[in-house]
Structure formats: C-alpha cells, structure tokens
C-alpha cells in the first residue's frame, strides 16, 4: 500500500448536492513509525496529547495492524477489518500500536444528505468502531473513491459522493447480516417471503406459519423485521401494493376487480390505503402513468 492522500476543494454545486468529499487517502504505517504524518495540513494534523476536533465525518477502514481510538465517551480497540467513524465537533484521537503499525483507508465528507444518512442508529460516537471484517465490497468502494478524487475530472465530486452512500449501505447491510449468519431463522424468513411472493393475493396466518417452522411468533416477527426492515404483515401488504400498481398500468381491470383479486377487505380500504402510500388514489395513479407512457412513445 502506498501513502497517498488528497485534500479537495468543494464548490457550491458540490455542497448543494448534499454530500461532498473533503479528503480521501490511504496510509501504510510501519511499526514504530511517527503518526500521524507531518504532511497533513494544519486543520487535519494533530498530536496525541491534544487530539483534535473536525467539522466533518471521517470513516477509517483498517485493513492490517491494530491501534486505539479515543473520544469523550471512551477508549476503543481497533483491529484489522474494523471501521471507525469520526463525528463532526467531537474531540478524538487515534493511532496504530507501535509494535504493529497499521494500514488505513480514510475519507472525510459532509453535507445535508450525509447528515441524514449518518443519523442511522448504527452510527454513533458512543460506539464508533464497527467490526465488519475484511470485505471486498468495502475495499472496492474506497478504491473507486480514490480513483475519482485522484483524477478530479468534471463532476467527480457528484459520482464519488454516491460511492460514499454505497459504502454506508454496505456497512449497515453487513451489520444486519451478523444476526443471521448460520442461523436457521434466515432460511425460515426466506421461505415465508418466497411463499408470499408466489401467492401475493393469499391470506396468511403468520402465527401458524411460524409454528409450522417450529419458531416462536414473537422471535419470528422480530427477526423478520430486522431482516427486511418491516414486519411480516407490512411486507405482505407492500407486495400487494406493488402488484396493484402493475395491474393498474398493464391491465384494464377495474379498481374493484383488482381490489378483490388481491384480497383487500373492500374497495374503499384498498383505495384509501393506496392513496396513503402513493399520494394518489388508484384511478389517479392509472391515469397519470398511462399519460406519461403515451407521452414517452416515439413519434412515427
């Protein structure tokens, strides 16, 4: 790994985009080597005694070695395959162990949309270290960000910032997968989801389904929600609404026929629910999408 970092300028277009990158880099620190490098600008350089405060987020990914991170909430061990997150306006300091050194990949970023993504419960200065392990997807995200920032071609900030969102998605996804790795409940959830997709209009007694798989319903519901981010009932309802949208656009069936076919309690319940979720009632949704499709057709 080479030592390479780049501090970037941001224009109004980058800031208005909602996510922008301030710095991206890699560093290979040998055992007993001085850390951090004296080549960092004053706003980023720090010494161990004083630490520092940044006005941006930073995500450091350690691919080799070991070190420690400290902030006002405590001291944390950082090992190979760990990410640690620095938060704006939070005092911190970190360094590799002298006997091991470390290899780090880091990005610094900010923006209004970044704030929204970083408000996810997984990201907290009270638990700043996330143990993802060595993941090809994470390394690849960093490498692509480095490539964009190194070349600085027009619009690079917009594309590289998208890679940050992708990186955050990977981190959350890998964390969610930890609760299912090697567990039978993951297979049970997949089987239930497949059943629902195969017969969207069906009615399911979810407690009986859980019982058939020898799983307690409370545990099944809790793990299903963790797996899909919604309860089993809401998941089934979303499938019905997706199918309803397809039928509204691709068939000439009446609203009542669609409602009955998908097993809704009544046309009124279906219409009210559809409008609540989509912002339009079924008739409005059908007219809007058919009109848009006609507009997009090429002229003869």
């Amino acid at each position: 790994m080479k030592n390479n970092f780049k501090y970037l300028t941001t224009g109004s277009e980058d800031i208005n985009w909602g996510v922008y990158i301030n710095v991206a880099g890699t560093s290979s620190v040998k055992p007993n080597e001085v850390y951090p490098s004296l080549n960092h600008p004053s706003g980023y350089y720090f010494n161990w005694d004083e630490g520092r405060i940044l006005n941006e987020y930073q995500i450091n990914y350690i691919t080799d070695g070991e070190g420690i991170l400290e902030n006002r909430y405590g001291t944390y061990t950082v090992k190979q395959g760990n990410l640690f997150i620095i938060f704006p306006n939070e005092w911190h300091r970190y360094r590799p162990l002298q006997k091991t050194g470390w290899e780090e990949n880091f990005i610094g970023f900010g923006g209004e949309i970044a704030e929204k993504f970083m408000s996810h419960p997984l990201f907290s200065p009270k638990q700043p270290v996330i143990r993802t392990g060595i993941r090809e997807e994470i390394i690849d995200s960093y490498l692509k960000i480095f490539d964009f920032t190194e070349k600085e071609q027009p619009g690079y900030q917009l594309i590289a910032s998208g890679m940050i969102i992708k990186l955050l998605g990977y981190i959350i996804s890998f964390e969610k997968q930890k609760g299912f790795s090697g567990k039978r409940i993951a297979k049970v959830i997949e089987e239930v989801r497949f059943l629902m997709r195969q017969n969207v209009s069906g009615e399911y007694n979810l407690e009986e389904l859980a019982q058939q798989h020898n799983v307690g319903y409370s545990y099944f519901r809790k793990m299903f929600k963790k797996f899909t981010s919604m309860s089993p009932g809401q998941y089934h309802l979303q499938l019905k609404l997706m199918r309803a949208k397809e039928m509204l656009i691709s068939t000439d069936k009446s609203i009542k026929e669609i409602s009955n076919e998908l097993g809704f309690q009544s046309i009124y319940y279906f219409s009210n629910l559809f409008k609540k979720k989509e912002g339009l009632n079924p008739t409005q949704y059908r007219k809007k999408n058919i009109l848009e499709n006609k507009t997009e057709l090429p002229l003869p």
Side-chain angles (χ1 to χ4, degrees):
M1 176 187 282
K2 62 181 180 178
N3 294 313
N4 185 28
F5 43 85
K6 195 163 188 178
Y7 293 91
L8 306 161
T9 58
T10 53
S12 58
E13 181 183 13
D14 305 320
I15 294 171
N16 291 337
W17 183 246
V19 187
Y20 54 85
I21 299 179
N22 295 321
V23 60
T26 64
S27 180
S28 180
V29 183
K30 306 300 181 186
N32 300 311
E33 187 174 326
V34 174
Y35 186 88
S37 167
L38 298 174
N39 295 326
H40 293 284
S42 59
Y44 287 87
Y45 179 78
F46 67 95
N47 63 57
W48 181 256
D49 292 334
E50 296 179 3
R52 72 176 177 187
I53 296 175
L54 295 175
N55 62 357
E56 65 184 37
Y57 296 99
Q58 283 201 358
I59 303 179
N60 288 42
Y61 186 41
I62 306 303
T63 53
D64 195 17
E66 188 174 343
I68 60 173
L69 163 70
E70 291 186 4
N71 63 19
R72 65 190 177 99
Y73 296 103
T75 301
Y76 309 87
T77 300
V78 181
K79 297 183 177 181
Q80 180 187 44
N82 291 175
L83 287 152
F84 64 87
I85 302 177
I86 304 303
F87 292 81
N89 306 313
E90 289 282 348
W91 177 89
H92 63 276
R93 60 185 181 183
Y94 55 85
R95 66 183 177 189
L97 298 184
Q98 287 192 334
K99 65 179 181 180
T100 64
W102 70 16
E103 293 186 353
E104 63 177 337
N105 304 268
F106 56 92
I107 52 172
F109 61 98
E112 291 184 2
I113 295 177
E115 290 278 352
K116 180 176 177 60
F117 281 103
M118 294 306 295
S119 68
H120 188 280
L122 178 62
F123 307 131
S124 168
K126 295 181 180 179
Q127 296 291 337
V129 179
I130 302 174
R131 310 186 191 287
T132 61
I134 297 297
R135 298 278 189 166
E136 180 182 352
E137 296 89 342
I138 293 178
I139 293 173
D140 182 63
S141 297
Y142 273 96
L143 291 176
K144 286 178 178 174
I145 291 170
F146 297 156
D147 186 53
F148 285 124
T149 56
E150 186 173 19
K151 293 176 181 177
E152 285 195 69
Q153 294 179 344
Y156 81 95
Q157 276 272 5
L158 308 181
I159 303 173
S161 63
M163 296 304 302
I164 292 177
I165 304 306
K166 185 177 181 181
L167 172 63
L168 296 175
Y170 278 133
I171 295 169
I172 295 171
S173 175
F174 292 145
E175 194 67 16
K176 292 181 73 171
Q177 290 171 21
K178 287 181 182 178
F180 297 93
S181 179
K183 293 185 178 180
R184 190 173 71 86
I185 188 64
K187 184 178 180 181
V188 172
I189 292 170
E190 286 289 6
E191 288 179 1
V192 172
R193 291 171 71 201
F194 180 76
L195 177 65
M196 290 180 178
R197 286 183 176 275
Q198 286 291 97
N199 185 16
V200 175
S201 61
E203 290 298 323
Y204 303 101
N205 185 316
L206 297 169
E207 292 190 23
E208 287 184 3
L209 275 178
Q211 190 175 29
Q212 289 170 14
H213 288 87
N214 297 314
V215 178
Y217 178 67
S218 296
Y219 176 66
F220 168 73
R221 189 179 188 280
K222 175 184 174 182
M223 297 304 282
F224 192 102
K225 189 171 183 179
K226 185 176 180 182
F227 195 98
T228 65
S229 299
M230 61 185 78
S231 69
Q234 284 297 313
Y235 183 84
H236 187 209
L237 189 59
Q238 284 294 107
L239 291 178
K240 285 188 175 186
L241 290 173
M242 287 171 59
R243 179 61 181 147
K245 289 191 285 185
E246 292 173 7
M247 294 173 74
L248 286 167
I249 296 172
S250 61
T251 75
D252 58 0
K253 292 181 178 181
S254 69
I255 308 302
K256 184 176 182 180
E257 286 176 314
I258 293 173
S259 174
N260 290 338
E261 188 170 324
L262 292 177
F264 286 98
Q265 298 171 5
S266 68
I267 186 174
Y268 304 105
Y269 173 72
F270 168 57
S271 296
N272 289 336
L273 180 67
F274 193 97
K275 185 173 184 179
K276 182 179 178 181
K277 296 290 186 179
E278 300 298 326
L280 300 171
N281 66 38
T283 301
Q284 292 169 332
Y285 183 87
R286 170 175 269 170
K287 288 180 178 178
K288 178 177 181 294
N289 282 274
I290 290 176
L291 180 62
E292 287 179 353
N293 289 338
K294 284 182 179 180
T295 304
E296 291 173 2
L297 289 174
L299 293 174

